[in-house]
Amino acid sequence: MQTKNAVLEDLQGIVGKENLREATPEDAIDGVEPSLVVEPGSVEEISAVMKLARGEGLAVSLRGGGTKTYLGAPPRSLDLILSTARMDGIIEHVPGDQIVRTQSGVRLAALQEKLAEANQMLGIDPPEEGATIGGVVAANSSGPRRYRYGTVRDLIIGITVVLADGTVAKAGGKVVKNVAGYDLSKLFTGSLGTLGVIADANFRLHPRPESARTVAVEVETPQAARDAAQAIVHSQVEATAVELHWSDEAKLISVLLESIPGGIEAKEERASFLLEEFGEVRTLGDGEVENLEPLSTVSADEVEIKIGAPPTELATVLDSVLDAAKRRDLTARMTGHAGTGVTYAVLSGEEGALAEVVDEVREIRTRNGGSAVVRRAPTSFKKRVDVWGPAGDYLGLTRRVKEKFDPGYTMNPGRFIGGI
Amino acid sequence: MDRGQLIETMQGILGPQGVIHEHEELRTYECDGLMNYRVIPDLVVLPETAEQVQRIVQTCYDEGIPFVARGSGTGLSGGALPVESGVLIVLSRMRRILEVDVENQRIVVEPGVINVWVSQEVADEGYYYAPDPASQIVSSIGGNLAENSGGVHCLKYGFTTNHVMGAEVVLPDGSVVHIGGGKSPDAPGYELLGAFVGSEGTLGIATKITLRLVRKPEAVRTLLAAFKDTEEAGGAVSGIIGAGIVPAAIEMMDALTIEAVERQVSPGFPDAGAILIVELDGPEAEVASQFDHVIEVCQMNEASEIRVAEDDEERALFWKGRKAAFGAMGSISNDYYVQDGVVPRTELGTVLKKISDLSNDYGLRVANVFHAGDGNLHPLVLYDNDAPGEAEKAEKLAGDIVFTCLEHGGSLTGEHGIGEDKKKYMPKMFTTDDMNVMQLLRCAFDPHQICNPGKIFPTPRLCGERPGPFHMHPVQKAGLAENF
Ligand SMILES: Cc1cc2nc3c(=O)[nH]c(=O)nc-3n(C[C@H](O)[C@H](O)[C@H](O)COP(=O)(O)OP(=O)(O)OC[C@H]3O[C@@H](n4cnc5c(N)ncnc54)[C@H](O)[C@@H]3O)c2cc1C
């Protein structure tokens, strides 16, 4: 192993002086401070950086927009942050083929803006502002539209990755239909920087809807929330999103409807009719819709859990969290993608009590199916509670996959499920 | 273990009815839907339960015997081609529908369940299973999963991979894992299910599969439009997609295909250079307005005739013609080879022209029928096996067609898979590094390379473990250590 100065020089040789800097306390992940932050500008540079890092036994974490560094367990070790900020080119957008190829450092918002010029969009809408494509893929970020368009795994059609040893490989392609070779694009989706660096990714696009409305029903009980969501899901309305909002101020199921101008009214009418049974229904104004996103504001001492459960379990999910929180005098607000069974809960209060709530919710999910993963939490909390929760019988296989792709545990060590 | 002992062991697991070992009977299984590759397996086993599959695989692993899974054997790339001195595990006796959960829009089935049974099972509740390969009345869900099969309605609804939500898998070392959330979204960990679907039977055997059910649409409208040639039909396709419409399906057939289909099933298609079948579905008002738009686009592209299906019966007739296309080739040619390639939709015109040039150069007819919406071509190369040298010529022409697809930014296969047939072409699409990295996944799932070995990749990669028959380390055998 070389001295830090020698490594620094080697890295400078690869990316240039201006693209390497000493880390600052702001670069720390869960209190673990790296020494250096490097910004390679090409696939070749990423490859050279990784090869060097691996050879030197450095632990590397990847950073896109830095909007989701909170995900995962605290790092086991951390030396180098590889930022994709300079990998910010859109490689190819072919409107007629409804595909785009982009480097991983491109911001999702910038990409959407570009696609909008051709009346197209990528059907992924996570709430984080400033997220990059690489980060969205690595974290498998999703938003309300997943109900209609699916998640990253459903829209990604090709990928270029750089492994820890510097190997550059691609899979998939730029056509929407393709079964040649293994689908590594999907494997890297949600891999949280533990398998390799995502250098670029290709996606299938959708036409931008011409008109949109959000219809919402005010509900009083978890059961009514569940039933309202189910009424839309089992109807023929073809909603774009079916969302839950649950706080002291508002308890709503909102339904995003998209169509052509000639079709939107009928959809709105039909959805409103279906929801009437469960409470007061109204069409929301634009400002109101934006206000319904409590999770973009989670404060440093709060704990956010993501619960995955069968959609019909929505009432149980709500009840279990609310009840567990109430018994311990904790406050809870929830939101979620009610149509697909994803619920987020944000809790605040005493740490020990919060940990008990996580345990309790997990125990119920283990029995009834699904998972409960801690997303945002103070580092002290993450050290106390396994953020991932119990993994299924696939943990051994998961570990074997990791060890084939990154045998030296160079990539983001310690942060993934099972200590991977 | 010699062959006799293996037969005995398998009979112990399955009973005598579950093991086929007589040469003549084994021949039934020597090929899949692609008949130019044939290998007689050492043994065929017919498990009825997941537990039996596990025990079979465990035996194979312990003894270092390669095995291949087989569903209905309709694959078109030799994926279920047996390996010599190997066991063929036929899943067609595992045909139970295990659980129907319409409320959560899920169904759990065994791998041998036939595709169309799924839709039939939930039809009364207003649901169906969206991926609909033309082989849906015979092909199995396990085979569909392994090939990531497509169908005419995948343009709007996605392919098999978008509809498989969970699977119980017997890994090549005999262990059993449950991957994908099933009824729950976003299972934590790697997206192993996404990697498994479409892996062509090389990563393990699916013994239980959770599928997504889709609500039947409020309205369905279908039209058939006739054009002078494929170029004008292609113009209409671009026009429809360009208008921001996502049809449930857009299929194209050229003159030769129409001729063959007419002879075989007489759907009464118009005499034309090309036909498009366009289907829209969704909420009534939306469909009605967009359907008018589609008609306009067809007219603008000089459609000589537009027929709108008046009822379900007429719609079924349109689709019958389309789905019969491959089989119908038998009526105009002794032999034919089904090619499967993909091009970016905007390259369709250019590529079709090149295919026609190639067809002239080789002096062999090529019929085109394809999923126009996603650029998935199925050129059918017609030839006569009895004419000396024609089969080789046909194979070469088919190869050139798929290389043309690659030159235009496409893929070697859109739905039939690489299997045995196209592995030699893989280096044209992927670098050695690409393939080596893909095979890391293979090594994680199947370190001894006994699960459908020799498929997909031209050169198997060693996984850093001893290949072929091996002896297990006692620690490993006792379950005290994972694979090294
Ligand atoms: C007339 C005709 C039309 C066709 N139309 C289409 C079409 O429109 N779209 C399309 O995509 N394909 C089509 N095909 C191809 C074929 O039907 C599909 O690939 C189908 O999915 C294969 O299913 P099968 O049950 O016959 O599988 P098989 O041919 O038996 O096996 C296919 C592969 O799956 C593996 N496999 C089987 N079961 C399992 C399991 N349980 N676990 C793991 N691996 C398994 C096998 O090892 C093999 O590699 C068509 C074929 C024919 C003959």
Side-chain angles (χ1 to χ4, degrees):
Chain A
M1 214 205 268
Q2 307 182 62
T3 61
K4 183 174 166 188
N5 271 340
V7 171
L8 197 111
E9 264 173 42
D10 283 350
L11 284 171
Q12 278 179 347
I14 297 167
V15 298
K17 252 199 172 75
E18 60 289 6
N19 299 312
L20 180 73
R21 64 171 173 83
E22 298 266 351
T24 67
E26 270 94 83
D27 295 309
I29 299 174
D30 284 325
V32 185
E33 234 178 90
S35 350
L36 297 167
V37 178
V38 62
E39 293 193 356
S42 65
V43 177
E44 293 72 28
E45 287 183 14
I46 296 176
S47 167
V49 169
M50 287 313 306
K51 207 182 246 165
L52 178 79
R54 164 107 208 261
E56 295 298 325
L58 305 181
V60 182
S61 277
L62 309 175
R63 184 199 290 164
T67 58
K68 287 175 293 284
T69 8
Y70 53 76
L71 289 178
R76 194 150 55 227
S77 57
L78 175 59
D79 301 299
L80 183 65
I81 286 190
L82 189 159
S83 157
T84 55
R86 290 173 64 221
M87 301 286 293
D88 63 350
I90 295 172
I91 305 165
E92 186 183 13
H93 171 212
V94 191
D97 295 332
Q98 293 179 319
I99 64 106
V100 71
R101 297 170 56 212
T102 155
Q103 289 190 313
S104 60
V106 170
R107 307 238 168 209
L108 177 62
L111 179 67
Q112 298 286 26
E113 224 167 87
K114 174 82 179 22
L115 300 174
E117 288 168 18
N119 263 323
Q120 295 186 337
M121 62 170 196
L122 175 58
I124 301 170
D125 58 343
E128 307 90 45
E129 266 169 49
T132 60
I133 290 300
V136 164
V137 173
N140 185 23
S141 304
S142 63
R145 282 190 163 78
R146 63 179 284 160
Y147 177 69
R148 173 150 189 187
Y149 298 102
T151 51
V152 172
R153 75 184 294 290
D154 299 296
L155 299 169
I156 192 164
I157 55 172
I159 201 164
T160 303
V161 297
V162 183
L163 301 194
D165 65 2
T167 308
V168 178
K170 64 176 188 314
K174 61 169 189 171
V175 282
V176 298
K177 194 171 185 186
N178 181 4
V179 297
Y182 291 146
D183 197 342
L184 297 185
S185 317
K186 290 199 177 63
L187 182 70
F188 273 73
T189 298
S191 62
L192 213 65
T194 61
L195 292 178
V197 186
I198 298 168
D200 50 60
N202 310 340
F203 299 92
R204 125 173 233 193
L205 304 174
H206 282 90
R208 270 170 78 85
E210 292 173 48
S211 49
R213 303 269 163 89
T214 301
V215 172
V217 59
E218 256 173 76
V219 290
E220 270 166 22
T221 62
Q223 189 62 34
R226 175 220 182 260
D227 293 345
Q230 285 290 306
I232 297 294
V233 165
H234 291 285
S235 75
Q236 293 167 319
V237 168
E238 284 194 4
T240 299
V242 185
E243 295 282 293
L244 165 83
H245 317 270
W246 193 277
S247 66
D248 288 341
E249 296 85 56
K251 296 179 178 48
L252 297 176
I253 289 289
S254 75
V255 181
L256 173 62
L257 303 163
E258 293 176 334
S259 186
I260 47 173
I264 194 74
E265 236 103 78
K267 271 192 170 181
E268 183 185 1
E269 235 169 74
R270 183 89 195 123
S272 304
F273 173 77
L274 288 164
L275 294 174
E276 258 163 26
E277 190 184 325
F278 308 100
E280 199 186 310
V281 178
R282 67 207 161 85
T283 299
L284 303 182
D286 290 350
E288 266 180 300
V289 175
E290 268 159 38
N291 283 341
L292 285 177
E293 280 178 15
L295 291 185
S296 41
T297 52
V298 173
S299 60
D301 57 352
E302 290 183 313
V303 170
E304 180 194 357
I305 327 171
K306 174 182 176 181
I307 301 159
T312 51
E313 292 265 318
L314 182 60
T316 324
V317 169
L318 278 168
D319 279 332
S320 64
V321 175
L322 295 170
D323 185 51
K326 196 168 161 203
R327 272 186 278 116
R328 296 175 177 85
D329 276 335
L330 303 172
T331 62
R333 60 185 199 282
M334 296 168 87
T335 172
H337 314 306
T340 45
V342 178
T343 309
Y344 299 96
V346 177
L347 301 152
S348 51
E350 194 266 315
E351 212 171 271
L354 288 170
E356 284 170 24
V357 173
V358 172
D359 280 347
E360 209 175 294
V361 172
R362 272 187 185 150
E363 200 266 319
I364 294 171
R365 293 278 50 98
T366 310
R367 262 187 289 123
N368 298 7
S371 58
V373 172
V374 174
R375 279 164 61 90
R376 279 177 271 207
T379 304
S380 54
F381 187 82
K382 287 188 175 185
K383 285 185 175 156
R384 169 176 200 155
V385 174
D386 174 5
V387 301
W388 296 101
D393 51 16
Y394 56 85
L395 185 60
L397 178 62
T398 305
R399 196 163 277 136
R400 291 204 292 279
V401 170
K402 164 73 177 182
E403 284 170 5
K404 288 296 169 193
F405 281 79
D406 178 23
Y409 281 79
T410 305
M411 312 289 311
N412 225 4
R415 298 185 65 199
F416 204 52
I417 195 164
I420 289 167
Chain B
M1 195 180 266
D2 64 21
R3 186 165 187 264
Q5 287 168 317
L6 182 64
I7 292 172
E8 225 168 87
T9 307
M10 291 300 174
Q11 283 176 337
I13 298 170
L14 302 162
Q17 266 75 40
V19 183
I20 294 171
H21 54 85
E22 302 287 349
H23 187 80
E24 267 320 298
E25 287 176 74
L26 289 171
R27 288 199 56 176
T28 314
Y29 298 96
E30 67 183 354
C31 66
D32 64 2
L34 184 68
M35 286 171 241
N36 34 344
Y37 298 94
R38 290 168 198 268
V39 170
I40 296 174
D42 216 22
L43 212 64
V44 170
V45 292
L46 297 148
E48 289 177 17
T49 66
E51 196 233 322
Q52 288 175 342
V53 175
Q54 190 277 329
R55 290 175 67 194
I56 294 164
V57 172
Q58 187 72 58
T59 306
C60 289
Y61 180 78
D62 292 347
E63 300 298 325
I65 299 167
F67 61 88
V68 177
R70 178 182 167 113
S72 302
T74 67
L76 292 173
S77 56
L81 182 75
V83 287
E84 240 170 290
S85 338
V87 174
L88 187 73
I89 305 176
V90 178
L91 298 150
S92 53
R93 288 190 182 166
M94 291 179 65
R95 291 196 159 178
R96 284 175 303 166
I97 290 177
L98 300 170
E99 190 194 343
V100 183
D101 183 356
V102 171
E103 275 209 301
N104 282 307
Q105 303 179 312
R106 296 290 183 270
I107 188 165
V108 186
V109 303
E110 288 187 331
V113 163
I114 301 303
N115 174 300
V116 78
W117 297 355
V118 178
S119 289
Q120 285 163 357
E121 180 76 20
V122 292
D124 288 347
E125 268 137 317
Y127 275 84
Y128 72 109
Y129 176 60
D132 58 342
S135 58
Q136 71 185 140
I137 50 169
V138 278
S139 65
S140 72
I141 291 297
N144 291 175
L145 175 153
E147 300 290 355
N148 184 15
S149 296
V152 297
H153 287 93
C154 289
L155 181 60
K156 176 172 176 183
Y157 292 99
F159 313 103
T160 300
T161 189
N162 308 108
H163 294 267
V164 174
M165 312 311 289
E168 176 185 273
V169 177
V170 177
L171 294 179
D173 67 357
S175 62
V176 178
V177 294
H178 296 79
I179 54 178
K183 293 181 185 180
S184 305
D186 299 1
Y190 295 133
E191 179 50 72
L192 298 170
L193 182 66
F196 184 76
V197 175
S199 61
E200 306 190 34
T202 62
L203 299 181
I205 300 185
T207 46
K208 199 188 275 186
I209 304 164
T210 305
L211 303 172
R212 186 155 77 97
L213 299 171
V214 177
R215 181 76 171 95
K216 281 189 196 165
E218 184 180 17
V220 185
R221 305 213 64 191
T222 314
L223 66 75
L224 184 150
F227 297 87
K228 187 172 89 225
D229 52 32
T230 49
E231 208 176 316
E232 285 188 349
V237 173
S238 299
I240 293 165
I241 303 289
I245 297 170
V246 184
I250 313 189
E251 295 290 304
M252 200 192 293
M253 287 181 268
D254 69 359
L256 201 51
T257 310
I258 300 168
E259 184 192 329
V261 166
E262 273 307 317
R263 285 197 197 192
Q264 187 84 8
V265 293
S266 339
F269 284 170
D271 191 12
I275 278 180
L276 276 188
I277 302 177
V278 185
E279 188 160 289
L280 299 186
D281 68 18
E284 186 76 55
E286 208 170 282
V287 169
S289 157
Q290 292 190 327
F291 198 69
D292 290 344
H293 201 131
V294 169
I295 292 177
E296 260 169 54
V297 173
C298 289
Q299 282 163 345
M300 262 160 33
N301 285 278
E302 315 283 335
S304 57
E305 187 180 341
I306 297 175
R307 282 186 206 167
V308 175
E310 293 300 333
D311 48 29
D312 284 350
E313 210 172 304
E314 194 169 3
R315 179 180 1 270
L317 192 66
F318 291 177
W319 285 122
K320 183 176 169 198
R322 164 61 187 88
K323 291 192 178 177
F326 293 0
M329 289 302 142
S331 67
I332 56 166
S333 173
N334 274 350
D335 302 282
Y336 63 95
Y337 176 88
V338 183
Q339 186 50 288
D340 166 45
V342 189
V343 292
R345 190 170 38 228
T346 48
E347 301 287 324
L348 268 178
T350 320
V351 172
L352 286 174
K353 174 81 183 58
K354 285 197 177 170
I355 292 176
S356 150
D357 291 348
L358 283 170
S359 158
N360 289 333
D361 292 351
Y362 277 89
L364 290 176
R365 292 179 298 167
V366 177
N368 280 295
V369 44
F370 53 91
H371 311 301
D374 41 34
N376 186 193
L377 302 172
H378 288 312
L380 300 146
V381 179
L382 311 185
Y383 66 99
D384 183 356
N385 215 359
D386 296 335
E390 236 181 52
E392 291 73 34
K393 218 159 86 174
E395 199 199 333
K396 206 152 172 289
L397 169 54
D400 282 350
I401 288 175
V402 91
F403 300 154
T404 308
C405 292
L406 286 184
E407 277 160 27
H408 289 265
S411 169
L412 287 172
T413 167
E415 55 185 21
H416 294 168
I418 297 290
E420 179 68 21
D421 195 35
K422 285 185 174 165
K423 62 182 188 187
K424 56 184 178 291
Y425 300 153
M426 281 288 275
K428 298 238 179 212
M429 185 164 169
F430 295 108
T431 66
T432 306
D433 277 348
D434 296 344
M435 290 186 283
N436 280 344
V437 171
M438 287 182 192
Q439 291 193 72
L440 291 175
L441 189 69
R442 172 71 182 263
C443 289
F445 276 77
D446 179 22
H448 301 118
Q449 314 244 1
I450 54 170
C451 184
N452 209 0
K455 309 285 169 69
I456 306 183
F457 302 102
T459 1
R461 183 193 157 110
L462 295 182
C463 299
E465 10 246 314
R466 266 171 303 165
F470 65 100
H471 298 284
M472 218 187 250
H473 192 281
V475 179
Q476 205 179 358
K477 197 147 204 162
L480 298 175
E482 296 204 295
N483 294 317
F484 308 105

